[in-house]
């Protein structure tokens, strides 16, 4: 079972995840970090920026791989995931742009952009730690319900629910792309360590279904139950529907101090 850590808020979660990443990067400067976009991981990126500055830890040997990208959106568009990763991660953390990889949703040959991304990932030696958010549909990356549990990076159609959720970042829903290029569930599952973050009441249902429900393509996040090293870091609101919340609290409170995430 994944380790589930219930904290008061997203700030506390960000600090905990960032301190784990700091330790991992110190041990391996050429660390490969898988990054999610959206609201959820922002507190982790801000905490990592602050902790790295405070410790004077240079992050210029770090490689990052994004989870997904919209298809057909100009990479210069402020809501493209390439632009967001630069704004939220690459520039504030002082990363080397040559070590930043985002699926190319604007490629001339977009049908082959998924395999090009997979090759770059294999060349880098795979992801050490993958940060994930969770969609209301239960998606991780943009693997919407019905995604193959063994899927690789490919084009997917976004659900209307996801387009509506993401419309808050655009002027209107009509501007939200209909398709994306996303790491597959099989791709995500190859990361050595996965950190799933979820905050707020709207994540309670998909989180409980992912962690405690049956493993099913209906709830793509449920595939994580097969992964041997998943840390789930959430707030109280997101924990509301978990049957085993008290057990998770007990296990975290009694975890040996020498064990990290
Ligand atoms: C983003 C991604 C998505 C989001 C999810 C939650 O790269 O792959 O799975 O993590 O849609 O989005 P937020 O964090 O905005 O609630």
């Amino acid at each position: 079972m994944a380790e589930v850590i219930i904290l008061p808020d997203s700030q506390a979660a960000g600090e905990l995840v960032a301190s784990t990443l700091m330790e991992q990067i110190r041990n391996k400067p050429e660390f490969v970090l898988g990054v999610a976009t959206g609201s959820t991981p922002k507190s982790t990126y801000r905490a990592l920026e602050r902790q790295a500055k405070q410790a004077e830890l240079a992050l210029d040997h770090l490689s990052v791989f994004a989870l997904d990208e919209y298809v057909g959106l100009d990479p210069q568009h402020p809501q493209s995931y390439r632009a967001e990763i630069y704004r939220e991660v690459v520039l504030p953390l002082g990363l080397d742009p040559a070590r930043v990889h985002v699926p190319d949703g604007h490629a001339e040959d977009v049908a082959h952009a998924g395999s090009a991304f997979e090759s770059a990932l294999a060349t880098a030696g795979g992801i050490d730690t993958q940060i994930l958010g969770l969609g209301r549909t239960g998606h991780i990356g943009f693997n919407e319900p019905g995604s193959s549990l063994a899927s690789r990076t490919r084009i997917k159609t976004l659900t209307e629910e996801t387009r509506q959720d993401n419309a808050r970042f655009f002027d209107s829903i009509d501007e939200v792309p209909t398709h994306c290029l996303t790491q597959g569930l099989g791709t995500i599952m190859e990361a050595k360590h996965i950190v799933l973050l979820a905050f707020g009441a709207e994540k309670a249902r998909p989180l409980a279904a992912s962690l405690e429900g049956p493993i099913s393509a209906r709830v793509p996040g449920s595939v994580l139950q097969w992964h041997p090293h998943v840390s789930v870091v959430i707030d109280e609101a997101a924990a509301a529907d978990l049957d085993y919340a008290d057990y998770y609290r007990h296990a975290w409170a009694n975890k040996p101090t020498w064990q990290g995430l």
Side-chain angles (χ1 to χ4, degrees), residues 36-41 67-68 81 133-135 139-142 168 203:
T37 48
S39 328
T40 308
L67 270 176
D68 39 21
Y81 282 176
L134 183 67
H139 71 213
I140 52 174
F142 272 143
R168 68 192 197 277
K203 301 293 169 73

Side-chain angles (χ1 to χ4, degrees), residues 10-11 13-15 17-18 21 33-53 59 62 64-67 84-90 92-93 95 129-133 195 197:
S10 61
Q11 267 64 39
E15 293 295 338
V17 176
L21 291 173
L33 180 65
V35 289
T37 48
S39 328
T40 308
K42 284 189 180 170
S43 61
T44 295
Y45 301 146
R46 295 292 68 77
L48 183 58
E49 177 187 358
R50 203 184 43 69
Q51 291 185 24
K53 277 199 180 119
L59 302 175
L62 193 75
V64 292
F65 282 81
L67 270 176
E84 186 174 334
I85 294 289
Y86 268 76
R87 207 167 46 235
E88 298 291 335
V89 181
V90 180
L93 298 184
L95 305 189
T129 293
Q130 173 68 56
I131 308 286
L132 292 179
V195 176
L197 301 168

Side-chain angles (χ1 to χ4, degrees), residues 81-167:
Y81 282 176
R82 171 170 290 275
E84 186 174 334
I85 294 289
Y86 268 76
R87 207 167 46 235
E88 298 291 335
V89 181
V90 180
L91 298 175
L93 298 184
L95 305 189
D96 175 0
R99 295 174 191 258
V100 177
H101 306 266
V102 182
D104 188 357
H106 210 246
E108 223 163 87
D109 187 5
V110 76
H112 289 104
S115 48
F117 181 83
E118 293 269 348
S119 303
L121 192 49
T123 305
I127 288 174
D128 289 304
T129 293
Q130 173 68 56
I131 308 286
L132 292 179
L134 183 67
R136 276 197 304 145
T137 59
H139 71 213
I140 52 174
F142 272 143
N143 295 283
E144 297 286 25
S147 292
S148 157
L149 301 183
S151 49
R152 311 301 307 184
T153 307
R154 72 223 182 283
I155 294 174
K156 282 294 287 181
T157 305
L158 295 170
T159 59
E160 278 313 295
E161 202 172 356
T162 296
R163 289 186 69 237
Q164 273 160 19
D165 283 348
N166 290 6

